[in-house]
Amino acid sequence: MNTLGQDAKNHATAVGLNVDRITINGGKPLVGRIELKGAKNLVTKAMVAAILGDTPSVLKDVPNISDVRIVRGLLEVHGVTVTDGPVEGELILDPSAVETAHMADIDAHAGSSRIPILFCGPLLHRLGEAFIPDLGGCRIGDRPIDYHLEVLRNFGAIVEKLPSGIRMSAPDGLHGAKVALPYPSVGATEQVLLTAVLADGITELSGAAIEPEIMDLINILQKMGAIITVDTDRVIRIEGVDKLDGYTHRALFDRNEAASWAAAALATEGDIFVGGARQAEMLTFLNVFRKVGGDFDIAEDGIRFFHPGGDLKPVIIETDVHPGFMTDWQQPLVVALSKAKGVSIVHETVYEQRFGFVDALVEMGASIEVHKECLGSAACRFGQRNFKHSAVISGPSRLTGADIEVPDLRGGFSHLIAALTADGRSTVSNVGIIARGYENFITKLELLGADFELDA
Ligand code: EPU
């Protein structure tokens, strides 16, 4: 089994799934209702934030996805007691016995996750040292951690690169700093927040990411006792405090999952009510969904996404940091764009290599060309650097079933959608990767009437 295959198996096993491949008979619209839980990209960070509290924290709406399992394991090897609350999806995190973990244990639990880098600030505060192994995550570009290391150095951490990973220490404690990010990185902004709240003095972060998941992390930190001001123009100011308490918080819904099911409704000519989705955090997605020819109804308890009939229309999109069109939304939508009548362009400006998934769509009959040029109104960081980061999608195309392999989380979900829309049978392997970020996706497919069989 190759590394990706092993990785897929590990993710599936972590959530109790014994599945490697799904064989899908395409052509059936997805119709029905599903429920969302908290956002993967908030919940995992909220779990890390619990280390900062002097008392236990309670997090609600935690999805059963393997990234959550990984963070739970990492917290446990650091002495945090994590228990399931009385209500499904509730976690109680008690950090009172936080301790240094063995490097081998951290390595074994981190798997391919990039979350360990966010443990550094909280562990430096609690223990004076932190270790991180080599980091993974989805294969969607280089995904360096240079901003994170620079941020931690700004706070006074000593960073040593060892053959097995990176060791950090803060013999003189951490102190507030003026930090300017070269790009509004989500992870580096979270790094600053999780470190600055207990640092001595004031921190001023400019060039911050302001995604809704970051705002919800700020809500959590404020509940814990932190003082954080979000100013205009991506400036966040944090006044360090001496101590923080635990929090009780219901996590923000997963808008990436919502967008994925919305795209699935559109591509399969279906009708899906996504319970828990909210308009405010999805404004940009909803505009594009409407422009492509999709329709939606906003209800108090969710959003209904549907194909109203007629031709889908091509669009020009550039992915961007919030409030732009999220990079995690483009992959599922590209499948729907392959069905639109005309030429669509997607300029990916957040990650340099996020079009690997289109090879399988082309094999299935989509007409998609990926270019190195910036095909958008703004030149991005990847222009003139040989990264194929602009996709031209010509439609409408009929897709036919094929044997395809999930390359990464969002690309994997787009492969599922492609197979659901295709004529005939498709076999999608390495589906375990999808369990990293989509809770109960197999049960949800069943609920929505998909025609498929599982293969262990
Ligand atoms: N970057 C650097 N150096 C750094 C950090 C980032 O050059 O030290 C670059 C990245 O290579 C990338 C850009 O900055 O080109 C943006 O990366 P960012 O730090 O914002 O991403 P992240 O924090 O690693 C989170 C999500 C991603 C999501 C991005 C953008 C989590 C666990 N991951 O990643 O989610 O795409 O923000 O919104 O929160 C996913 O859910 O499938 C996923 C990949």
Side-chain angles (χ1 to χ4, degrees):
M1 188 178 286
N2 61 21
T3 342
L4 198 59
Q6 189 54 53
D7 203 27
K9 226 177 176 48
N10 294 344
H11 285 294
T13 313
V15 295
L17 261 185
N18 184 24
V19 178
D20 176 45
R21 279 192 300 269
I22 304 188
T23 300
I24 296 179
N25 294 309
K28 270 186 86 180
L30 293 188
V31 179
R33 176 178 176 130
I34 53 140
E35 299 297 327
L36 298 175
K37 283 229 191 63
K40 163 177 95 70
N41 293 346
L42 175 265
V43 165
T44 43
K45 328 304 172 56
M47 291 170 74
V48 178
I51 299 176
L52 294 163
D54 284 351
T55 51
S57 290
V58 180
L59 185 59
K60 301 178 186 188
D61 271 357
V62 178
N64 183 24
I65 53 175
S66 65
D67 270 10
V68 163
R69 292 276 157 185
I70 288 169
V71 179
R72 183 174 181 152
L74 279 168
L75 286 168
E76 284 168 348
V77 299
H78 284 97
V80 179
T81 309
V82 185
T83 40
D84 294 313
V87 178
E88 203 252 323
E90 195 172 291
L91 283 187
I92 301 160
L93 306 119
D94 182 352
S96 49
V98 167
E99 58 183 6
T100 303
H102 294 293
M103 291 188 185
D105 285 342
I106 303 175
D107 213 1
H109 280 82
S112 58
S113 168
R114 292 169 53 78
I115 297 291
I117 186 78
L118 292 178
F119 276 64
C120 293
L123 288 179
L124 284 170
H125 280 303
R126 294 295 304 263
L127 305 169
E129 64 171 0
F131 171 79
I132 43 163
D134 283 338
L135 298 175
C138 276
R139 290 158 180 76
I140 52 177
D142 248 1
R143 305 195 73 180
I145 53 166
D146 51 336
Y147 303 166
H148 292 258
L149 299 182
E150 193 50 31
V151 160
L152 289 160
R153 283 194 193 100
N154 282 337
F155 282 100
I158 297 168
V159 178
E160 291 166 80
K161 294 199 179 162
L162 308 175
S164 50
I166 297 172
R167 183 179 180 274
M168 283 175 217
S169 54
D172 303 323
L174 298 172
H175 46 80
K178 221 173 160 105
V179 182
L181 290 179
Y183 182 79
S185 151
V186 168
T189 300
E190 291 158 346
Q191 185 74 262
V192 171
L193 290 169
L194 291 169
T195 308
V197 282
L198 280 181
D200 182 22
I202 292 176
T203 294
E204 185 190 273
L205 169 64
S206 51
I210 49 164
E211 268 62 7
E213 292 77 15
I214 288 177
M215 293 304 137
D216 210 32
L217 182 63
I218 292 177
N219 292 339
I220 289 172
L221 293 168
Q222 188 180 53
K223 282 180 175 175
M224 297 175 81
I227 302 172
I228 304 173
T229 319
V230 182
D231 291 346
T232 48
D233 298 333
R234 300 189 177 278
V235 174
I236 300 181
R237 222 174 294 275
I238 304 122
E239 292 179 37
V241 294
D242 291 340
K243 69 181 275 302
L244 295 171
D245 292 319
Y247 63 82
T248 296
H249 191 76
R250 185 173 299 283
L252 173 75
F253 76 99
D254 198 314
R255 63 203 179 103
N256 290 344
E257 185 178 353
S260 297
W261 290 112
L266 195 58
T268 63
E269 301 187 15
D271 189 333
I272 304 180
F273 188 92
V274 181
R278 288 201 314 235
Q279 180 182 17
E281 291 81 5
M282 298 196 70
L283 272 183
T284 308
F285 178 83
L286 293 170
N287 286 335
V288 172
F289 193 78
R290 179 169 277 160
K291 285 208 278 188
V292 179
D295 208 347
F296 53 86
D297 290 332
I298 311 240
E300 268 183 23
D301 57 343
I303 304 179
R304 171 188 169 214
F305 295 95
F306 59 102
H307 189 309
D311 289 335
L312 295 187
K313 289 169 274 202
V315 282
I316 311 270
I317 308 169
E318 283 186 277
T319 65
D320 206 347
V321 293
H322 187 76
F325 189 89
M326 280 206 77
T327 168
D328 304 291
W329 295 339
Q330 57 97 342
Q331 303 80 349
L333 197 72
V334 162
V335 184
L337 293 180
S338 75
K339 317 241 154 239
K341 201 171 172 186
V343 178
S344 296
I345 297 176
V346 180
H347 180 206
E348 169 61 59
T349 78
V350 179
Y351 288 111
E352 66 273 37
Q353 284 176 43
R354 236 184 166 179
F355 282 121
F357 71 97
V358 304
D359 292 348
L361 306 190
V362 170
E363 197 186 320
M364 296 172 83
S367 170
I368 305 175
E369 282 177 3
V370 191
H371 296 273
K372 292 176 187 162
E373 287 75 15
C374 292
L375 298 182
S377 57
C380 76
R381 297 169 297 148
F382 311 132
Q384 314 303 328
R385 287 181 56 206
N386 282 328
F387 293 118
K388 290 189 165 181
H389 69 293
S390 295
V392 177
I393 305 129
S394 312
S397 302
R398 271 195 94 87
L399 304 189
T400 34
D403 289 351
I404 54 180
E405 196 172 290
V406 166
D408 59 65
L409 178 62
R410 307 294 168 195
F413 198 87
S414 84
H415 285 186
L416 282 186
I417 302 177
L420 289 161
T421 65
D423 296 331
R425 280 164 86 83
S426 298
T427 303
V428 189
S429 45
N430 288 347
V431 287
I433 304 268
I434 298 172
R436 274 193 57 203
Y438 292 89
E439 184 184 47
N440 300 335
F441 66 98
I442 289 174
T443 316
K444 286 174 182 162
L445 285 174
E446 232 162 53
L447 273 173
L448 296 171
D451 179 358
F452 65 92
E453 288 144 40
L454 304 178
D455 204 346

